[in-house]
Amino acid sequence: MSLLVVAEIQQGAIREASYELLAFAARIGGEVSSLVIGDAALASEFAKRGGGSTWSASDAALANYNVDGYAAAILAAVEASGADTVLISNTPVGWDVAPRVAAALDAGFVSDAFDVQDGRYRRRVFNGKLDAWVRSSAAKTVVSVQPGALPAIDNQNEGGGEVKELALELPKLRARFLETRESDAGGVDLSQADVIVSGGRGVGDPEKFPEVIQPLAEALGGAMGASRPVVDAGWLPHEYQVGSSGQVVTPKLYIAIGISGAIQHLVGMKGSNYIIAINKDPDAPIFEVAQLGVVGDLFEIVPALTSAVTAARG
Amino acid sequence: MKILVCLKQVPHQDARLDVNGDGTWIREEGIKFEINSYDTFALEEALRVKDAGEAEVVVASIGPERVSQALRTALGMGADRAVHLKDDALAGSDALGIAQALAAIAREEQPDLVFTGLMSDDGNASSVPPMLAHLLDMPHATAVVKTEHKDAGLRIERELEGGALELVEIDLPCLIAVQSGINQVRYASLKGIMAAKKKPIAAKTAADLGVAELVGAAAAKVAIEKIEPPPKGDRAEILEGTTDEIVAGLLGKIKELGLL
Ligand SMILES: Cc1cc2nc3c(=O)[nH]c(=O)nc-3n(C[C@H](O)[C@H](O)[C@H](O)COP(=O)(O)OP(=O)(O)OC[C@H]3O[C@@H](n4cnc5c(N)ncnc54)[C@H](O)[C@@H]3O)c2cc1C
Ligand SMILES: Nc1ncnc2c1ncn2[C@@H]1O[C@H](COP(=O)(O)O)[C@@H](O)[C@H]1O
């Protein structure tokens, strides 16, 4: 096996997820080389910290992500390194460019893998309800790896591999980066709340949030949150969204109501100190991260719990 | 302007999922199907371009007979025509096989703009759109939450982590993979549904499109060997009993955590 790890720069530093790729590469086994796009100094840092022989693509046109430039750089590094397996994190950069690179290489593509055993990759399907084991039979394979899947490897003291500038002729860039905009929290800061009561698509319609979810949050002196479909449907503004594209929260108590537990929601709340889940589906993945669960109809349980909490407060 | 929308039919989000006989996918008999949630947003985005001016919206889908239902719904919402690639030879295709077949449809249609969903709700692969864009030699953008026509291209917003956004200028023709929530999706009106009955659905086979060698299990580079429930972690303790007993259990825990 010859592996190419595509590291990613975020806000002037190598992402943690890139060191997780080194762990994933170690699990597959084989010769590791790396590619760092956009910053030669960070390429040497990655080479020193486990990236092995590292290619740097430091053309100024690659300072920000753009699909044509990044795809060209990765393809050139695959060619230069002779890698048969390409690893990239399943981040907004990775999910955008990796399938395109796979198609260009006529490679097998494995998306969002979180484990690998004996050449088989494990990935979640059906929004977390099932796992699939997949195998690539192609000469080349591109794998996008779920951030957080494996603990990062950081070989600080290894001495490190050499850094080479990648010979690269950039194509015309048909998608051009203009700017990034940070999210606007809009005044709802869930990070300070001790208790968060979140409702999901199972709550069913917008009126039920003020009727069922908000009263429990208030009775507990906490804040209300939501999963993405609730926000997508316009039931609540974006500030309430918990998850990978919303807020990451770590309250003392998180109560997930009518939320199935897709990975993008879990990354936003699994660091909570204690998690209670209320869901009518006993197989909902949320029960695998919760400590305490109720399998039942939220419209029966939640109002009764709200009354009991209110009564207990006196 | 001509717009192609790629639309997949997937098991209904609330369908009960049982693993099939050979353990490689779910049992499809007896469950309801619906249009992939992300694709409804993609179709709506295309229909808004049409509402704002001149555009022909063509929907394309690969899948068995049941898919014609999804295409009828899309036509009822306002799409002009549909192409249905329906061929048993497609069974076992991987994402690249699906992308090859969609590319063949796109080459016949020559769209200025291709809209897809970001991800399918069954396979969760997010693979087909960038592959399709490569095969069509078009630029693409994924997780798009806003599109705006500007000069000879589009100005789009891509969603990053934590709600941050990336603004990108992209040339036409291009492929846009839409993130959920980009718009509020319309329902098919009664009038729309009636009109849809007269709109054409062109049925195609892999041979018609010249992709027979590129699709199906034989051409697939990636295959599912096994599907199974996720490993049971430290599963939650499940409270049982009457509602009163359950509520007492929850209240006890909340007190124990010092939150009451
Ligand atoms: C790039 C990307 C970013 C994303 N970012 C986020 C994010 O930041 N946050 C996020 O949440 N999602 C995010 N998602 C979406 C995510 O994949 C899921 O689609 C979403 O989390 C599902 O929300 P849900 O659990 O509310 O809905 P569903 O998955 O539809 O679950 C609804 C649940 O309600 C239960 N239910 C229904 N009725 C009742 C009842 N009466 N009583 C009790 N239970 C009931 C059902 O059993 C079901 O489990 C993202 C996806 C992508 C691709
Ligand atoms: N069988 C199909 N027919 C039409 N479009 C599809 C099909 N499969 C995937 N797509 C498109 O590709 C997007 C991403 O799907 P996937 O790569 O399977 O997650 C979907 O949202 C659709 O727009």
Side-chain angles (χ1 to χ4, degrees):
Chain A
M1 270 309 159
S2 166
L3 301 131
L4 179 73
V5 167
V6 182
E8 187 182 330
I9 296 173
Q10 192 180 39
Q11 284 163 350
I14 303 272
R15 281 186 76 135
E16 175 80 1
S18 303
Y19 293 99
E20 295 165 11
L21 290 180
L22 295 177
F24 210 85
R27 186 165 288 197
I28 296 172
E31 178 91 25
V32 175
S33 55
S34 298
L35 168 66
V36 176
I37 303 172
D39 189 316
L42 290 175
S44 5
E45 179 178 330
F46 198 65
K48 283 200 198 88
R49 294 168 65 176
S53 165
T54 299
W55 300 95
S56 169
S58 57
D59 192 304
L62 299 172
N64 291 107
Y65 174 70
N66 64 83
V67 64
D68 292 312
Y70 269 52
I74 296 168
L75 289 169
V78 172
E79 168 97 44
S81 65
D84 49 48
T85 304
V86 180
L87 300 179
I88 184 163
S89 304
N90 192 37
T91 59
V93 168
W95 77 53
D96 202 70
V97 75
R100 190 169 183 119
V101 166
L105 291 169
D106 210 22
F109 180 59
V110 180
S111 169
D112 205 27
F114 64 91
D115 194 8
V116 53
Q117 281 173 28
D118 307 323
R120 299 192 308 173
Y121 295 91
R122 185 184 206 131
R123 52 185 308 272
R124 289 263 132 96
V125 290
F126 291 97
N127 296 322
K129 291 179 200 118
L130 290 167
D131 276 3
W133 287 97
V134 302
R135 190 185 292 277
S136 166
S137 55
K140 288 195 191 304
T141 304
V142 177
V143 185
S144 75
V145 178
Q146 192 173 92
L150 293 180
I153 290 185
D154 188 347
N155 294 325
Q156 287 273 17
N157 308 315
E158 264 213 347
E162 75 178 302
V163 181
K164 290 168 278 188
E165 184 64 31
L166 189 64
L168 182 62
E169 209 166 308
L170 285 179
K172 176 166 186 271
L173 306 184
R174 297 165 299 179
R176 294 167 295 277
F177 170 88
L178 298 174
E179 59 172 308
T180 36
R181 269 192 211 147
E182 289 315 309
S183 79
D184 170 17
V188 181
D189 183 5
L190 297 177
S191 69
Q192 298 307 311
D194 278 345
V195 179
I196 297 175
V197 179
S198 279
R201 199 170 62 90
V203 177
D205 73 73
E207 283 81 65
K208 299 293 184 224
F209 278 82
E211 273 172 32
V212 180
I213 306 298
Q214 176 104 45
L216 179 59
E218 274 169 15
L220 289 166
M224 180 166 69
S227 68
R228 177 162 192 135
V230 170
V231 171
D232 285 344
W235 298 349
L236 286 176
H238 180 256
E239 307 80 273
Y240 289 89
Q241 185 179 314
V242 172
S244 62
S245 52
Q247 299 192 47
V248 175
V249 298
T250 52
K252 291 185 180 146
L253 173 62
Y254 188 90
I255 309 185
I257 302 172
I259 292 176
S260 63
I263 180 72
Q264 296 89 354
H265 188 79
L266 300 185
V267 299
M269 44 64 79
K270 66 174 190 234
S272 303
N273 173 55
Y274 198 87
I275 299 167
I276 296 176
I278 302 172
N279 196 302
K280 69 176 180 189
D281 176 6
D283 296 326
I286 191 76
F287 289 122
E288 304 308 321
V289 300
Q291 280 82 41
L292 194 61
V294 178
V295 177
D297 183 1
L298 72 93
F299 297 108
E300 216 174 287
I301 309 292
V302 179
L305 178 59
T306 306
S307 308
V309 170
T310 309
R313 292 236 140 158
Chain B
M1 153 117 16
K2 188 169 185 179
I3 305 176
L4 182 68
V5 180
C6 301
L7 181 152
K8 185 179 185 184
Q9 197 191 38
V10 295
H12 192 278
Q13 291 195 31
D14 297 327
R16 204 195 127 90
L17 304 178
D18 292 314
V19 177
N20 70 4
D22 67 1
T24 58
W25 195 237
I26 57 146
R27 204 184 297 279
E28 297 203 339
E29 295 83 46
I31 62 172
K32 278 208 290 185
F33 282 80
E34 63 183 357
I35 300 178
N36 184 40
S37 64
Y38 295 87
D39 302 354
T40 63
F41 293 101
L43 175 59
E44 177 64 37
E45 202 61 15
L47 294 175
R48 286 184 184 202
V49 178
K50 181 178 162 177
D51 292 347
E54 290 273 297
E56 185 189 19
V57 176
V58 181
V59 287
S61 188
I62 303 174
E65 182 51 37
R66 58 172 161 75
V67 167
S68 57
Q69 184 67 45
L71 291 173
R72 281 283 163 226
T73 304
L75 294 172
M77 286 167 67
D80 298 296
R81 288 190 292 117
V83 180
H84 181 182
L85 172 50
K86 178 173 57 171
D87 193 331
D88 292 343
L90 265 299
S93 296
D94 63 3
L96 192 52
I98 297 295
Q100 290 281 10
L102 289 171
I105 294 172
R107 283 186 200 109
E108 287 189 349
E109 296 290 343
Q110 293 290 323
D112 305 288
L113 189 50
V114 180
F115 279 117
T116 71
L118 169 61
M119 175 172 105
S120 50
D121 279 315
D122 53 358
N124 295 167
S126 287
S127 306
V128 170
M131 288 177 168
L132 175 57
H134 168 77
L135 295 173
L136 296 174
D137 194 20
M138 288 180 181
H140 79 263
T142 55
V144 172
V145 291
K146 189 171 174 195
T147 63
E148 193 189 333
H149 287 258
K150 199 144 197 255
D151 308 323
L154 301 180
R155 241 180 121 106
I156 55 124
E157 290 181 9
R158 283 189 74 212
E159 187 180 79
L160 307 176
E161 292 133 303
L165 298 170
E166 183 171 270
L167 273 63
V168 178
E169 188 178 72
I170 186 165
D171 297 340
L172 285 170
C174 65
L175 180 147
I176 302 295
V178 167
Q179 170 63 303
S180 63
I182 182 174
N183 50 40
Q184 293 298 319
V185 181
R186 73 191 63 188
Y187 291 99
S189 65
L190 194 58
K191 194 164 144 252
I193 293 167
M194 295 309 287
K197 294 200 168 122
K198 294 198 208 76
K199 292 178 179 172
I201 299 184
K204 303 259 181 191
T205 64
D208 293 341
L209 293 165
V211 294
E213 307 292 304
L214 299 172
V215 299
K221 297 175 167 65
V222 175
I224 298 178
E225 290 193 341
K226 191 175 173 200
I227 222 156
E228 62 188 10
K232 297 285 171 209
D234 297 327
R235 191 178 158 81
E237 176 199 339
I238 303 291
L239 291 171
E240 319 256 1
T242 63
T243 300
D244 285 347
E245 286 162 353
I246 288 170
V247 165
L250 291 171
L251 201 64
K253 178 48 79 177
I254 296 168
K255 281 187 179 146
E256 193 187 310
L257 291 168
L259 295 166
L260 256 184

